[in-house]
Amino acid sequence: MPIVVVGSVALDTVETPFTRMDNVLGGAASYFATVASLYDQVNMVGIVGSDFPREHLDFWRSHSVNLAGLQIQEGKTFHWHGRYHMDMNTRDTLDTQLGVFGDFHPVVPEEYAQSPLVFLANIQPELQLEVLHQTPNAQFTVLDTMELWINIARDSLTEVMKQVDVLLMSEEEVRQYTNQSSILTGVRHFFSLGLKYVVVKLGSYGALLFGADGTYFSAPAYPLEEVVDPTGAGDSFAGGFLGYLSMVQPEAPGRYAIDDLKRAIVHGNIVGSFACAQFGIGGVASLTMKDIETRYQELVNYSHFDPTWNNQAK
Amino acid sequence: MPIVVVGSVALDTVETPFTRMDNVLGGAASYFATVASLYDQVNMVGIVGSDFPREHLDFWRSHSVNLAGLQIQEGKTFHWHGRYHMDMNTRDTLDTQLGVFGDFHPVVPEEYAQSPLVFLANIQPELQLEVLHQTPNAQFTVLDTMELWINIARDSLTEVMKQVDVLLMSEEEVRQYTNQSSILTGVRHFFSLGLKYVVVKLGSYGALLFGADGTYFSAPAYPLEEVVDPTGAGDSFAGGFLGYLSMVQPEAPGRYAIDDLKRAIVHGNIVGSFACAQFGIGGVASLTMKDIETRYQELVNYSHFDPTWNNQAK
């Protein structure tokens, strides 16, 4: 089932302690679309400038990404320049140039109207709301955000939360938004807003799924020897999560079997691990389903244990 | 099978952001013995002063803890005073009074000689070596330590590592000892010393088991709404880990089935979660096997997922 995504498409400068690359393809919608299009059609909504390399557009077109909703406007593409610290977990934003993104208002093409899945990747909450209003037939909506919007656009972010099914957040973002040190307590606050699920991303420790119905699932991370570049790992996670769900039948419109939601989280973790293992979008650009399947089986072996609590209980 | 443990027995003053308690039972060997004696007999080696309350000794005697190796000497019991920060993950040591611990040399009683399992809880590596020399029939030896000994007694700590089967370490300790940011790379260093297994404790994120034979297992943490006092969580983890192994038959002397090693880690995480949920040793002092079994089944439900990577693959 096709997925609508709205989010940033960017040309980034990324510095790690070991390397630097300029004007590489970046942005939340870029990572998401590249990953999710492995599973099904992705209908992109966004904007780029006239400097945006044609090769990226050609790459997406050849990968079931529909670009009808990607505006191409005279001017500069959104540019982010970040530098990772030695631990690769924290980073500084050195520069942000909005370019054509500054006056952007998303327009969802008619041909996207029947997409049942909608991913609101990390952009201004006001723009996320504009997309929600243009996708009234959406049956399963997922929201991502970042620290910046919790700080400067909390009210409109809260308004988006009230209108979606699933919230993706890092552990730090949960603490920041809810002002609770306990993640379990913090997550309950989100359910009071009407959310059905909250996915807490733990980086190298995996991810947690919480359901308003009491569902709880702890998904293991895929172990990586080395993190080359964590840029886009969260957006790739979302691409694996929604991508997997786009492949399966819901139990009812907008309602997925718990086994499928768990699988979706594991897919997200696996795709996130690929994203971190190479620089920029390189880690996911040539990913195959076979790659994902292989790591899935490894994760089963790495994390499952005997369901009987002692070997004499058998 | 009985387990020999050597480590500190203390009277602690513990401050958290919410409470403070003075002269509560503490020390690595105390937590370990209290937990592991749920599973089998624990043979304690250590020292206390003449101020050590008789009630603690009575408690252990009634819980299959053999105190023949616990020296009681005129003077003060080892005293630690610590204060946890708001996040409950970091703490400051405000005071340490060695008391009778200052001149301590462990003496392993004759009656402990046939114990196949030995746990070297956190104390000076030199004392851990003294115990190893007095337990030549040990078949499975497990080592715990702390940042202090990595800093001031690295050589003798390394000597202990070369003589044991399993090393327990926090993620930070692995990084500190190996000077590697990658845990996977760091762990390989330990295998070069001859260790068979390394267990990396991740606190609220669970624990990882690495085997020199390539074994890798990621064990989920039991989710806690609130951490009341993390003191002793690592020692309790060790008590659940070795306690579980004391209950089962090894495949060969000193060699356990991988399913049992995985179960042992899960037991460790569960017992660690109980330790954190109440102040001081209160969280594990009245624990029952039924409590552990219940959380074990919960963790199976919380962490297992369908082993087929997509629901059409079935």
Side-chain angles (χ1 to χ4, degrees):
Chain A
M1 289 191 282
I3 311 168
V4 169
V5 57
V6 61
S8 58
V9 178
L11 295 173
D12 289 344
T13 297
V14 179
E15 296 181 51
T16 72
F18 312 105
T19 187
R20 170 191 167 123
M21 288 187 88
D22 290 290
N23 290 313
V24 291
L25 178 60
S30 301
Y31 278 92
F32 178 88
T34 301
V35 169
S37 62
L38 263 171
Y39 297 86
D40 210 323
Q41 182 177 305
V42 175
N43 291 326
M44 194 188 273
V45 176
I47 189 166
V48 293
S50 43
D51 59 343
F52 193 73
R54 194 191 173 84
E55 62 184 273
H56 300 325
L57 302 175
D58 292 341
F59 170 79
W60 281 329
R61 283 198 191 97
S62 70
H63 277 72
S64 8
V65 180
N66 185 340
L67 301 177
L70 182 68
Q71 305 167 32
I72 303 179
Q73 199 175 293
E74 194 60 42
K76 288 280 211 182
T77 300
F78 176 63
H79 178 76
W80 174 77
H81 180 175
R83 182 187 291 154
Y84 285 90
H85 297 181
M86 199 64 205
D87 69 0
M88 288 293 209
N89 279 318
T90 48
R91 67 185 187 194
D92 296 322
T93 291
L94 303 181
D95 189 24
T96 303
Q97 302 282 343
L98 287 181
V100 295
F101 210 75
D103 299 315
F104 173 56
H105 286 280
V107 179
V108 179
E110 190 67 38
E111 58 190 290
Y112 291 7
Q114 298 312 314
S115 302
L117 303 169
V118 173
F119 180 55
L120 306 173
N122 172 31
I123 45 165
Q124 289 93 316
E126 292 80 4
L127 302 182
Q128 295 176 320
L129 280 173
E130 289 180 25
V131 168
L132 277 183
H133 294 156
Q134 295 175 66
T135 52
N137 299 317
Q139 287 173 349
F140 197 72
T141 50
V142 179
L143 167 64
D144 197 8
T145 189
M146 71 187 292
E147 195 180 330
L148 177 68
W149 313 122
I150 299 175
N151 284 332
I152 70 169
R154 186 185 167 93
D155 287 350
S156 46
L157 178 59
T158 305
E159 193 49 42
V160 191
M161 288 180 189
K162 288 179 181 168
Q163 297 188 31
V164 297
D165 298 304
V166 184
L167 172 66
L168 308 183
M169 266 200 172
S170 73
E171 199 178 14
E172 297 73 31
E173 288 162 353
V174 172
R175 292 210 173 92
Q176 195 199 351
Y177 182 92
T178 65
N179 203 24
Q180 294 286 341
S181 62
S182 162
I183 294 296
L184 276 71
T185 309
V187 162
R188 269 203 298 276
H189 174 81
F190 293 120
F191 293 137
S192 73
L193 299 175
L195 282 152
K196 286 189 209 155
Y197 294 99
V198 176
V199 176
V200 181
K201 296 175 285 181
L202 306 176
S204 63
Y205 304 112
L208 305 174
L209 171 72
F210 294 88
D213 58 2
T215 297
Y216 176 77
F217 172 55
S218 169
Y222 186 87
L224 281 183
E225 179 92 25
E226 194 190 358
V227 171
V228 172
D229 176 11
T231 311
D235 311 307
S236 299
F237 174 94
F241 175 71
L242 257 179
Y244 175 73
L245 292 178
S246 77
M247 266 195 351
V248 303
Q249 275 308 108
E251 289 186 323
R255 206 180 70 218
Y256 290 89
I258 180 64
D259 276 350
D260 279 324
L261 288 165
K262 288 182 176 182
R263 279 195 190 96
I265 303 276
V266 175
H267 277 249
N269 277 345
I270 290 168
V271 177
S273 75
F274 280 110
C276 291
Q278 287 184 48
F279 206 90
I281 211 155
V284 294
S286 54
L287 203 58
T288 67
M289 274 297 176
K290 188 72 200 161
D291 296 328
I292 296 172
E293 185 184 352
T294 300
R295 290 206 171 173
Y296 192 99
Q297 294 310 329
E298 287 181 86
L299 274 184
V300 170
N301 294 333
Y302 289 167
S303 67
H304 284 202
F305 51 96
D306 198 294
T308 55
W309 71 288
N310 87 61
N311 76 0
Q312 283 128 37
K314 279 193 170 172
Chain B
M1 288 190 283
I3 312 167
V4 169
V5 57
V6 60
S8 59
V9 178
L11 296 172
D12 290 344
T13 296
V14 179
E15 295 181 51
T16 71
F18 311 106
T19 186
R20 170 192 167 123
M21 287 187 88
D22 289 291
N23 290 312
V24 291
L25 177 60
S30 302
Y31 277 93
F32 178 88
T34 301
V35 168
S37 62
L38 263 173
Y39 297 86
D40 210 323
Q41 183 177 303
V42 175
N43 291 328
M44 194 188 274
V45 177
I47 190 166
V48 294
S50 43
D51 60 342
F52 193 73
R54 196 191 173 82
E55 63 184 271
H56 300 326
L57 303 175
D58 291 341
F59 170 78
W60 281 327
R61 284 199 191 96
S62 70
H63 277 72
S64 2
V65 181
N66 185 341
L67 301 177
L70 181 69
Q71 304 168 32
I72 303 179
Q73 199 173 293
E74 195 60 42
K76 289 281 213 180
T77 300
F78 176 64
H79 178 77
W80 175 76
H81 181 174
R83 183 187 289 154
Y84 285 91
H85 298 181
M86 199 63 204
D87 69 1
M88 289 293 210
N89 280 319
T90 49
R91 67 186 186 192
D92 296 323
T93 290
L94 303 181
D95 189 26
T96 304
Q97 301 282 343
L98 286 180
V100 295
F101 210 75
D103 298 315
F104 172 56
H105 286 281
V107 180
V108 179
E110 190 65 40
E111 58 190 290
Y112 292 6
Q114 297 312 313
S115 301
L117 303 170
V118 173
F119 180 56
L120 306 173
N122 172 32
I123 45 166
Q124 289 93 315
E126 293 80 3
L127 301 182
Q128 294 177 320
L129 281 173
E130 290 181 24
V131 168
L132 277 183
H133 295 156
Q134 295 175 66
T135 52
N137 299 317
Q139 289 175 349
F140 197 71
T141 50
V142 179
L143 167 64
D144 198 9
T145 189
M146 70 187 293
E147 194 180 329
L148 178 67
W149 312 123
I150 299 174
N151 284 331
I152 70 169
R154 186 185 169 91
D155 288 351
S156 47
L157 177 60
T158 305
E159 193 49 43
V160 191
M161 288 180 188
K162 289 179 180 168
Q163 299 187 31
V164 296
D165 299 303
V166 184
L167 171 66
L168 308 183
M169 267 199 172
S170 72
E171 197 178 14
E172 296 73 32
E173 288 162 354
V174 172
R175 292 211 172 92
Q176 195 199 349
Y177 182 93
T178 64
N179 203 25
Q180 294 286 343
S181 62
S182 162
I183 294 296
L184 276 71
T185 309
V187 162
R188 270 202 297 274
H189 175 81
F190 293 120
F191 293 136
S192 73
L193 298 175
L195 281 152
K196 286 190 211 154
Y197 294 98
V198 177
V199 176
V200 181
K201 296 176 286 181
L202 305 175
S204 64
Y205 304 111
L208 305 175
L209 171 71
F210 294 88
D213 59 1
T215 297
Y216 176 77
F217 172 56
S218 169
Y222 185 87
L224 280 183
E225 179 90 25
E226 194 189 357
V227 171
V228 173
D229 176 11
T231 310
D235 312 306
S236 300
F237 174 93
F241 175 71
L242 257 179
Y244 175 72
L245 292 178
S246 76
M247 266 194 352
V248 302
Q249 274 310 108
E251 288 186 325
R255 207 180 69 218
Y256 290 91
I258 180 64
D259 276 350
D260 279 325
L261 288 165
K262 288 182 176 182
R263 279 195 191 97
I265 303 276
V266 176
H267 277 249
N269 277 346
I270 289 168
V271 177
S273 75
F274 280 109
C276 292
Q278 287 184 48
F279 205 90
I281 210 155
V284 294
S286 53
L287 204 57
T288 66
M289 274 298 176
K290 187 71 199 160
D291 296 329
I292 296 171
E293 185 184 351
T294 301
R295 288 205 172 174
Y296 192 99
Q297 294 310 328
E298 287 181 88
L299 274 183
V300 170
N301 294 332
Y302 289 167
S303 67
H304 284 203
F305 51 96
D306 198 293
T308 54
W309 71 289
N310 87 61
N311 76 0
Q312 283 130 38
K314 282 195 169 175

